[in-house]
């Protein structure tokens, strides 16, 4: 017991070492190969990142606009158009531009800070694309990057087919859309803006659930630990008896079935902040269903692509391990975009149980004595390929994609700050992500970076100290 107490004291003081003997709890291992070559035309890394960032920007503004449109004394022009589905994104952009002054007046307070940040980026992008295109704004495609080879004038412009915002102040908000130009169905989750959202973020205890990949590989264990708040937000049953996960999957499955597009389209999932965490969790569970039903008639195609932006960590090592298994089986692709000094992407480090235990070496020793894997089971891990962005970065000399499923990235959970990397709340804002990504657009394109190539060469791209 004395030795355990001494070890606990060292752990609390940050002096513990990991001898790597217990490989079962490593974060995913080093996948030897990834197979995403299924005939689908995947765009470049920048285009995928940019498109999903735009979706994550838009859901903040559109949700608040729809909320204003539902008010009795609504002053928005053409407000009824916002509440009808399907809703073309080009119409949304036009409405934002038409009502720009009103929106800023109505939402110009700290409760709508993220919406205003998103609004600035949307307006900036609108002006840039409008100036470079002779086409009518009627066909404006917010998911087309300048220089993208797709046709921004396509009549089948991106449209929102489902919108989950009946209770935007107390439940998660999502939208499901389709983009025929890029042959994708997209699910986007709104990030944190309400009290309910922030309460969800704060519930850092781990909820242990059955591992959907437990029978797929000998290294997979029975249960995985997931952030309690995120899990409840997505899987807690609502008034209808369905949870949000079931509700969204039903929408997505109907689109693939009704349009008969399973063989030619893909599912993308995205979100910023809390939305990024929900996108990660949603993608994981859908990909697990896809993987287990590959020989059956599951309506959603493989692989599922998740592009999370400014996301906190979602689960512990066993979750990350199951996530990595889906990646190397070709069922899941995950691009995780993080500003280097965004504090939200650095948390949570450990669970509430671990936080409590760290306050007392005696309590810590007790947990350690009961379970030798206590620390690993209560420590959060990131997933996917991380695209790290730096404030003011003009060159891709230090643009890197780090694979979180590699055991080499275990050290990523040990945060050490240099003066230039101190956490900066401003770097969590959606406009900061837009600005940082735009600065390195040409460098990323010159490197011909793709998400699939990042997976293929992840060992060479691992970030080292």
């Amino acid at each position: 017991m004395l030795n355990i107490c001494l070890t606990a004291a060292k752990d609390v003081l940050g002096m513990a070492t990991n001898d790597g003997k217990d490989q079962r709890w490593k974060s995913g291992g080093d996948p030897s190969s990834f197979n995403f070559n299924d005939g689908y035309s995947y765009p470049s890394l920048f285009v995928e990142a940019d498109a999903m960032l735009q979706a994550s920007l838009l859901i903040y503004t559109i949700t608040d606009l729809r909320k204003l449109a539902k008010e009795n004394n609504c002053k928005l022009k053409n407000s009824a158009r916002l509440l009808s589905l399907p809703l073309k994104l080009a119409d949304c952009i036009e409405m934002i531009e038409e009502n720009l002054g009103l929106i800023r007046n109505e939402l110009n307070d700290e409760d709508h800070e993220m919406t205003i940040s998103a609004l600035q980026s949307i307006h900036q992008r609108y002006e840039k694309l409008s100036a470079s295109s002779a086409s009518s704004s009627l066909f404006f495609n917010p998911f087309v990057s300048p220089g993208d080879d797709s046709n921004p004038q396509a009549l089948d412009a991106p449209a929102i087919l489902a919108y989950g915002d009946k209770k935007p102040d107390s439940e998660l908000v999502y939208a499901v859309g389709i983009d025929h130009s890029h042959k994708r169905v997209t699910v986007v989750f709104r990030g944190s803006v309400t009290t309910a959202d922030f309460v969800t973020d704060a519930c850092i205890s781990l909820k242990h659930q059955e591992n959907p990949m437990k029978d797929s590989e000998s290294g997979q264990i029975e249960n995985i630990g997931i952030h309690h708040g995120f899990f409840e937000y997505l899987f807690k049953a609502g008034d209808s008896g369905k949870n949000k996960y079931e509700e969204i999957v039903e929408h997505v499955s109907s689109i693939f079935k009704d349009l008969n597009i399973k063989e030619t389209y893909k599912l993308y999932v995205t979100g910023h902040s809390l939305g990024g965490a929900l996108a990660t969790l949603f993608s994981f569970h859908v990909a697990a269903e896809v993987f287990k039903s590959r020989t059956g008639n599951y309506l959603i195609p493989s692989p599922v692509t998740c592009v999370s932006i400014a996301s906190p960590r979602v689960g512990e090592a066993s979750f990350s391990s199951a996530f990595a298994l889906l990646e190397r089986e070709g069922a899941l692709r995950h691009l995780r975009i993080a500003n280097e000094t965004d504090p939200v992407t650095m948390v949570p480090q450990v669970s509430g149980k671990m936080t409590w235990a760290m306050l007392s070496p005696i309590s810590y020793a007790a947990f350690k004595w009961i379970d030798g894997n206590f620390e690993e089971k209560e420590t959060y891990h990131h997933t996917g390929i991380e695209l790290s962005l730096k404030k003011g970065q003009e060159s891709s000399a230090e643009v890197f994609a780090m694979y979180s499923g590699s055991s080499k990235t275990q050290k990523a959970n040990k945060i050490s700050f240099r003066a230039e990397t101190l956490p900066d709340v401003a770097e969590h804002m959606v406009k900061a992500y837009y600005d940082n990504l735009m600065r390195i657009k040409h460098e990323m394109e010159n490197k011909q970076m793709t998400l699939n190539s990042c997976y293929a060469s992840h060992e060479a791209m691992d970030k080292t100290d």
Side-chain angles (χ1 to χ4, degrees):
M1 186 69 176
L2 177 60
N3 288 336
I4 294 176
C5 286
L6 289 173
T7 300
K10 289 180 181 179
D11 289 345
V12 172
L13 294 172
M15 296 187 292
T17 58
N18 188 338
D19 59 12
K21 290 180 181 177
D22 190 355
Q23 293 299 319
R24 185 177 71 153
W25 287 98
K26 287 303 177 187
S27 178
D30 289 315
S32 56
S33 63
F34 302 91
N35 182 19
F36 302 120
N37 298 319
D38 54 1
Y40 182 77
S41 180
Y42 291 100
S44 70
L45 186 68
F46 174 81
V47 170
E48 283 192 303
D50 182 46
M52 295 301 105
L53 177 57
Q54 297 314 310
S56 299
L57 286 167
L58 283 165
I59 194 167
Y60 284 110
T61 305
I62 296 173
T63 299
D64 277 336
L65 281 176
R66 283 171 59 90
K67 189 176 178 181
L68 287 175
K70 293 173 184 178
E71 295 178 356
N72 293 330
N73 58 345
C74 175
K75 299 176 183 177
L76 291 175
K77 298 176 182 177
N78 301 316
S79 60
R81 190 167 47 162
L82 268 176
L83 302 177
S84 61
L85 296 173
L87 174 62
K88 286 192 175 182
L89 289 184
D91 293 344
C92 292
I93 300 299
E94 282 193 340
M95 286 205 65
I96 290 171
E97 289 299 309
E98 289 173 0
N99 295 279
L100 203 56
L102 176 63
I103 295 169
R104 284 173 172 159
N105 289 334
E106 293 287 331
L107 307 178
N108 193 21
D109 57 57
E110 59 183 25
D111 290 338
H112 298 92
E113 191 175 21
M114 201 63 76
T115 294
I116 296 301
S117 177
L119 189 64
Q120 291 171 341
S121 298
I122 294 167
H123 181 60
Q124 181 180 337
R125 183 183 186 85
Y126 178 86
E127 289 189 323
K128 182 182 295 184
L129 289 181
S130 296
S132 63
S133 174
S135 64
S136 166
S137 61
L138 176 64
F139 302 115
F140 173 77
N141 184 340
F143 294 150
V144 171
S145 303
D148 190 354
D149 291 335
S150 61
N151 181 10
Q153 299 184 30
L155 290 175
D156 288 330
I160 298 170
L161 305 183
Y163 216 105
D165 63 342
K166 289 183 179 178
K167 297 180 179 180
D169 295 330
S170 59
E171 296 181 346
L172 69 81
V173 173
Y174 70 87
V176 183
I178 191 164
D179 182 350
H180 293 288
S181 298
H182 294 89
K183 297 186 183 301
R184 63 179 168 234
V185 174
T186 301
V187 174
V188 55
F189 291 94
R190 185 185 65 173
S192 302
V193 294
T194 68
T195 301
D197 294 337
F198 291 116
V199 169
T200 294
D201 294 337
C203 295
I204 63 171
S205 61
L206 285 163
K207 190 174 183 68
H208 293 279
Q209 295 293 312
E210 183 179 51
N211 182 358
M213 301 302 291
K214 66 178 182 177
D215 299 324
S216 304
E217 190 179 83
S218 59
Q220 293 296 308
I221 62 174
E222 187 79 16
N223 294 309
I224 55 177
I226 298 170
H227 186 289
H228 186 277
F230 302 154
F231 185 90
E232 288 294 304
Y233 223 26
L234 189 61
F235 287 99
K236 185 177 180 179
D239 296 338
S240 67
K242 289 182 183 177
N243 58 46
K244 292 296 183 181
Y245 175 82
E246 294 168 332
E247 187 179 308
I248 299 167
V249 167
E250 189 174 289
H251 285 306
V252 172
S253 299
S254 294
I255 293 170
F256 277 101
K257 179 181 179 180
D258 294 347
L259 299 180
N260 193 26
I261 55 176
K262 180 180 177 180
E263 302 303 319
T264 52
Y265 283 53
K266 296 294 183 185
L267 174 64
Y268 278 69
V269 189
T270 191
H272 169 269
S273 190
L274 167 64
L278 293 171
T280 303
L281 189 55
F282 179 86
S283 300
F284 169 74
H285 282 279
V286 171
E289 290 296 326
V290 169
F291 174 75
K292 290 187 292 185
S293 307
R294 283 190 297 186
T295 57
N297 59 354
Y298 198 67
L299 294 171
I300 300 173
S302 178
V304 176
T305 297
C306 175
V307 179
S308 63
I309 301 146
S311 174
R313 295 183 176 95
V314 174
E316 38 76 276
S318 58
F319 169 76
S320 181
S321 175
F323 198 102
L325 175 57
L326 285 168
E327 289 174 300
R328 67 175 178 264
E329 290 291 346
L332 180 58
R333 305 160 73 239
H334 182 197
L335 175 62
R336 180 169 52 82
I337 306 172
N339 280 341
E340 186 182 37
T341 56
D342 180 351
V344 173
T345 66
M346 304 173 188
V347 295
Q349 282 284 300
V350 295
S351 70
K353 183 178 180 180
M354 180 73 162
T355 302
W356 173 62
M358 287 175 67
L359 297 175
S360 168
I362 299 298
S363 298
Y364 190 97
F367 285 121
K368 184 82 172 177
W369 183 68
I370 294 170
D371 186 348
N373 291 317
F374 169 68
E375 305 130 295
E376 198 66 34
K377 290 179 179 179
E378 301 297 325
T379 300
Y380 280 89
H381 292 267
H382 270 308
T383 56
I385 296 284
E386 177 192 0
L387 178 64
S388 181
L389 305 177
K390 292 187 177 183
K391 183 178 180 179
Q393 180 175 319
E394 298 292 349
S395 168
S396 68
E398 296 187 50
V399 170
F400 67 89
M402 179 178 70
Y403 178 54
S404 300
S406 169
S407 59
K408 294 179 183 179
T409 63
Q410 291 294 308
K411 62 189 175 184
N413 279 317
K414 307 296 183 183
I415 293 180
S416 61
F417 295 120
R418 305 184 303 275
E420 65 272 21
T421 61
L422 288 173
D424 181 359
V425 174
E427 284 297 286
H428 183 63
M429 304 303 288
V430 284
K431 189 173 189 308
Y433 274 86
Y434 176 80
D435 291 342
N436 290 344
L437 183 64
M438 289 302 116
R439 285 190 188 100
I440 59 170
K441 172 183 182 294
H442 296 298
E443 295 295 335
M444 287 179 67
E445 291 177 336
N446 289 340
K447 279 192 170 184
Q448 298 182 326
M449 297 174 73
T450 67
L451 183 54
N452 290 354
S453 68
C454 288
Y455 272 111
S457 58
H458 71 88
E459 288 183 344
M461 290 186 177
D462 274 349
K463 186 183 180 185
T464 58
D465 287 335

